[in-house]
Amino acid sequence: MSFFMGIDLGTSGVKVVVIDQNGQVVGTGSEELTLDTPGPNWAEQHPNQWWSATCSAIKAALADGGDIGNKIEGIGLSGQMLGATFLDKNLDVIRPCIIWCDQRSSEERDFIEESIGMEHLLELTANYPLTGYVAPKILWLRKNEPEAYERVHKVLLPKDYLRLKLTGELAAEVSDAGGTYLFDVKNREWSSEMLEKLDIPGDFLPDVYESVAVTGQLRKDVAEELGLREGIPVVGGGGDQTAGGVGNGVVDEGIVSSTIGTSGVVFACVNKPQIDTKGRGIHTFCHSVEDKWAVFGCTLAAGGSYKWLRDKFSVVEKEFARLRGMDTYDVMDLSAGKAQPGCGGLLFAPYLIGERTPYPDPDARGLFFGLTLRHGWPEIVRSVMEGVTFSLRDSLEILREFGVNVKQVRASGGGAKSPLWRQMQADIFNTEVITTNVEEGPAVGAAIMSAVGSGYYSTVQEACKKIIKPLSKTEPIKENVELYEDLYGIYKSLYPTLKDTFKKEAEIMKKWSL
Amino acid sequence: MAYLLGIDIGTSGTKTVLFDERGNTVHSAVEEYPMYQPHIGWAEQQPQDWWNAVVNTIKEVIKKSGVNAHDIKGIGLSGQMHGAVLLDKEYKVLRPAIIWCDQRTHKECDEITEIIGKERLIELTANPALTGFTASKVMWIKNNQPEIFERIHKVLLPKDYIRFMLTGEFATEVSDASGTQFLNIGERNWSYEVLDKLGIPRNWMPDVYESAEVSGTVSEKAASLTGLKQGTPVVGGAGDQAAGAVGNGIVTTGVISSTIGTSGVVFAYTDKVSIDGKGRVHTFCHAVPGTWHVMGVTQGAGLSLKWLRDNFGNMEISLSKFLEIDPYVLMDQEAEKSPPGSQGLIYLPYLMGERTPHLDPHAKGVFFGLTAKHTRQDVIRSVMEGVSYSLRDCFEIIRELDIEVNEVRASGGGGRSRLWRQMQADMFNRDIVTINSSEGPALGVALLAGVGAGIYDNVPQACEATIKRESIQRPIPENVEVYDKYYPIYKGLYADLKDKFKEISMI
């Protein structure tokens, strides 16, 4: 038996999964993290906490597996993207990491757009500039904390800080590197032009590797502390999106994943770097698979919309679930199941916290549209599920526009647990939808990368074929497909119709502090 | 002491109320009857059912009150408007009455518009062709039941059929006749142009009276059936809207009413004929001689909150049973916790399409501006606010017609909510008032009967003598400001979504 460890450094916690070479989970461990918000729209975490949580989670996973520390043959890293961890020349942390959801650097984002120009930025980085990327954060530090900036020797992404602690090596890998906005995604290397134009020293950045490449070996002292063997290889790993893609087996063109967590992500693997030039909130990053790229769109409030409906409105369901020992979501599914597909013309737009794909618009707002007396609670519940799925289809359509021939969608995240929601996805996407045996996508994906990097498998594709197995399969129902096609047409037109009104309301609310 | 009898022939039943001359209710009686729906969208009733209910309730009121029929000085009739009662030359009812909410006559409306011309029709009758109105119902008979059409001798409105049964007279009055689409609203008499062009014989129409004029007296036969005294005067009375307005005191310049029942109505008095060229509000002859009323209608007013109660409100309904409190009261308390403006959540109350100001059967309900922070409290409040915005739409058109508004009288079920009244005060930026009487139409026509019988000098004086203010709420300046900010967005949403409503109706 060969065991491989995947570490996923999330925002709310660290998860560690150990699998055997067949993908069987042999041990899991996790440890929670806290988030600091020292200013409005600021979000920080301390790397020291990441490291101590990681150590605890590793120990917990090894204990869970029953003394398997000396059987681990490789470690892969995954985690939250876009965070800026600043190190001084002693490789000590200068200040807390400014993480992905921090919005303080919006001026710097605008500066980048103005000084380089959108078209050229797309050529250089393959992505539209976002406040959350690392480059604006570096510029923010330079302007607002110059004494800290003076001391900067290296800038690392969150999971790469764990690598430093594990192996003593400074390294990045291609998938996560896209989130710095200093990376030439097309050529899979740092963009010297971006660095130069923004006047950021090139040696701030570590060497960049492919995700499956071995970037270093586990240090002796760390190995002893954690109960692992010294010298086991640590591979590049991947950002949580691409590592999740690997964990879902989305490693060849034609397979797409649809993940309904708090947010929703439709993720595809493509053979060349497809770039959306229309500004529709699509990310194009290097995939954690050699010679492949990842493109994905994001619905900000996917499961989040359903959770909102649960927490704010489903009082009776909650009570019923409690009495029956059921999950409230399952009771809501029962309600939704009573409504007909299409909800008799009731549509929901899930823009509860603004939207990313296909409308990057913080002012967009949620909508129930088309209410009549025939609509009751079941239609309300179902329309939320359908609206989220229509929004995911918006992303899917852009991927289809890129020429991706979508043959199969792999459903994951909490939403994939609902058979009703899977059927909706099959019907609204008009593709078969499957679920797989892998539950912790990013952690398992990282473990799979380490199995390739350590030489057990020769390619990621081969590993995925061996490890990932379908659990359920849902085929589209023809009548539903046709009905949803018509409704999607109207759904799609609602945002453009209301765009100006969203903006007007946001302005009024801001101006008058309503 | 003199007494007055008000009879309201409603859709679900007839309510007969005996008042003393100060407007106090002495006794009231109700008898229900069915509505028949032979097809989806059709609605019919048997005039005989109405008459039976009228006879029984008059008998009951006289008996239970112990009032001597001799002291009943006048009778006023009110009731559901627009219905078509068709009589043959033996004065027999030819077929069940097609009533106000019947929707079968879309084609006939197009036909009427075609024949008369859209603008001309509004000029003459103050309204576009509407399925609810009597004219399209008569035209439907012409097109679909010619054998009945041929035998028509008289066309009567529901309450006017009851007048015929009580007095033997064929008569109507200006307010109810305004809902036939055969009346020239400005001239307060039949429009021969409309009748002639539609091929309806002029002599099918009864004589038109002012509402407070005596139109006949109780016949011997009716007296023996009901226990009334033969010769008791019966005045013109009024359609339920105008009668309700009189009962609410909407009989002088500056006073309007805002009623939140299933639908919502903003009703204004005007002493000059004001017609909206776009047909967004109805202009009718008022029950006060020589005056008119203008009225805007929100289809889904109380209905919206009822929908919310029945579909989102399981919790309130269950709690209300334990607490023995009306679930609406609980919902009010929740809504009160959300700030004015519902944190940017805006509701469009078009659950059943909309009349004023859009005249659009395809319009649908919308919740706009949802965010993750919105709660039940915001949703409930937004529904009450959305209905109030819609009433404000009516109010704004009334203002456009240059009608003065100083005071708004709240009535209907929604008028019982202090919160909802405050919203209206804030949206309209006017004082909102409640009054002591809740008998509405029955009181209104009893007062008209009192004028006809000479107990009061005129309608405003009758109202003054009987109707008292119970509560006044003033607009809260900060809220007025908030609603003024959101109202343009509310208004813009229909314009944004109009085409989409139509598209989704087609699927």
Side-chain angles (χ1 to χ4, degrees), chain B residues 256-428:
Chain B
I256 72 167
S257 68
S258 173
T259 306
I260 301 178
T262 301
S263 60
V265 176
V266 179
F267 184 107
Y269 166 98
T270 171
D271 50 18
K272 54 188 186 299
V273 59
S274 313
I275 296 174
D276 176 45
K278 295 175 197 154
R280 295 168 299 175
V281 290
H282 304 293
T283 300
F284 284 18
C285 298
H286 198 1
V288 182
T291 70
W292 287 264
H293 72 247
V294 176
M295 147 180 127
V297 180
T298 288
Q299 299 269 53
L303 188 69
S304 288
L305 199 65
K306 179 178 187 296
W307 174 83
L308 195 71
R309 183 196 70 185
D310 295 344
N311 293 296
F312 277 69
N314 289 321
M315 184 183 66
E316 288 82 358
I317 291 171
S318 309
L319 259 178
S320 73
K321 284 180 192 142
F322 290 111
L323 299 172
E324 292 177 2
I325 296 175
D326 188 326
Y328 286 126
V329 172
L330 295 175
M331 289 170 78
D332 253 28
Q333 290 173 357
E334 288 177 82
E336 197 123 38
K337 294 201 186 289
S338 171
S342 305
Q343 309 198 67
L345 179 58
I346 296 176
Y347 169 73
L348 308 190
Y350 310 142
L351 292 179
M352 294 194 23
E354 188 52 299
R355 187 99 65 92
T356 308
H358 308 307
L359 294 171
D360 182 353
H362 299 303
K364 304 270 186 292
V366 171
F367 283 100
F368 169 89
L370 284 165
T371 67
K373 66 170 186 271
H374 283 120
T375 63
R376 295 176 78 82
Q377 296 161 359
D378 299 310
V379 168
I380 297 169
R381 188 178 188 110
S382 75
V383 167
M384 299 172 84
E385 288 180 343
V387 169
S388 307
Y389 286 128
S390 170
L391 294 171
R392 176 163 176 180
D393 276 342
C394 301
F395 175 85
E396 294 289 334
I397 296 172
I398 285 167
R399 295 285 302 129
E400 260 176 52
L401 294 174
D402 234 2
I403 296 170
E404 198 181 317
V405 181
N406 304 315
E407 174 185 314
V408 180
R409 296 198 171 171
S411 71
R416 287 201 287 269
S417 156
R418 192 177 169 79
L419 178 66
W420 218 342
R421 291 201 304 270
Q422 187 62 51
M423 279 178 201
Q424 294 177 74
D426 296 339
M427 297 246 182
F428 302 155

Side-chain angles (χ1 to χ4, degrees), chain A residues 17 20 52 67 86 130 205 426 468 473 494:
Chain A
V17 174
D20 68 18
S52 62
D67 200 20
F86 300 103
L130 291 179
L205 302 171
I468 299 163
K473 187 170 172 180
L494 287 174

Side-chain angles (χ1 to χ4, degrees), chain A residues 308 312-313 315-316 345 352 365-372 375-377 490 493 497 501-502 505 509 512 514, chain B residues 307 311 314-315 344 351 364-372 374 376 379 485-486 489 496 500-501 504 507:
Chain A
W308 169 78
K312 301 288 175 68
F313 300 97
V315 186
V316 175
L352 296 181
R365 290 291 174 261
L367 201 68
F368 282 105
F369 168 87
L371 284 164
T372 70
H375 296 121
W377 183 246
I490 295 178
S493 66
T497 304
T501 307
F502 286 135
E505 191 186 43
M509 290 182 74
W512 301 94
L514 294 173
Chain B
W307 174 83
N311 293 296
N314 289 321
M315 184 183 66
L351 292 179
K364 304 270 186 292
V366 171
F367 283 100
F368 169 89
L370 284 165
T371 67
H374 283 120
R376 295 176 78 82
V379 168
K485 302 284 181 281
Y486 280 116
I489 297 177
D496 289 344
K500 301 294 148 198
F501 290 137
I504 198 115
I507 287 184

Side-chain angles (χ1 to χ4, degrees), chain B residues 36-213:
Chain B
Y36 302 97
Q37 293 176 281
H39 297 283
I40 292 173
W42 290 26
E44 301 184 346
Q45 283 186 321
Q46 291 291 358
Q48 187 64 41
D49 289 346
W50 301 333
W51 175 236
N52 292 342
V54 168
V55 170
N56 294 337
T57 51
I58 294 176
K59 270 200 297 201
E60 184 187 332
V61 164
I62 293 175
K63 193 173 156 210
K64 293 261 175 74
S65 67
V67 167
N68 188 335
H70 183 80
D71 294 327
I72 300 175
K73 298 300 183 192
I75 299 170
L77 299 171
S78 171
Q80 49 170 305
M81 300 174 68
H82 311 299
V85 183
L86 309 175
L87 303 186
D88 67 12
K89 61 178 189 301
E90 267 103 50
Y91 309 151
K92 296 250 168 15
V93 172
L94 277 163
R95 73 182 308 292
I98 303 177
I99 69 167
W100 63 278
C101 50
D102 188 288
Q103 295 292 323
R104 78 183 74 177
T105 59
H106 276 289
K107 251 179 58 191
E108 284 71 25
C109 287
D110 294 344
E111 189 186 350
I112 293 170
T113 308
E114 174 99 346
I115 292 172
I116 315 246
K118 192 175 172 192
E119 279 167 27
R120 184 67 181 150
L121 190 65
I122 292 177
E123 258 172 55
L124 292 169
T125 71
N127 288 287
L130 292 170
T131 52
F133 281 34
T134 319
S136 67
K137 301 183 197 300
V138 178
M139 295 300 279
W140 186 90
I141 300 287
K142 187 180 184 184
N143 291 338
N144 295 279
Q145 299 182 334
E147 69 290 350
I148 288 179
F149 188 79
E150 267 172 29
R151 294 167 56 202
I152 295 176
H153 179 69
K154 283 285 171 200
V155 177
L156 295 179
L157 291 159
K159 78 165 195 317
D160 297 330
Y161 174 73
I162 297 305
R163 181 196 324 279
F164 169 70
M165 297 300 280
L166 274 175
T167 67
E169 302 289 339
F170 288 118
T172 187
E173 49 68 46
V174 289
S175 73
D176 211 3
S178 300
T180 60
Q181 203 133 44
F182 292 132
L183 198 80
N184 183 315
I185 299 294
E187 292 175 4
R188 303 174 86 85
N189 206 344
W190 300 119
S191 166
Y192 294 141
E193 179 177 340
V194 172
L195 287 167
D196 294 351
K197 281 188 176 160
L198 297 181
I200 310 285
R202 297 177 184 187
N203 60 12
W204 284 9
M205 298 297 135
D207 293 341
V208 183
Y209 289 80
E210 286 292 337
S211 303
E213 280 183 286

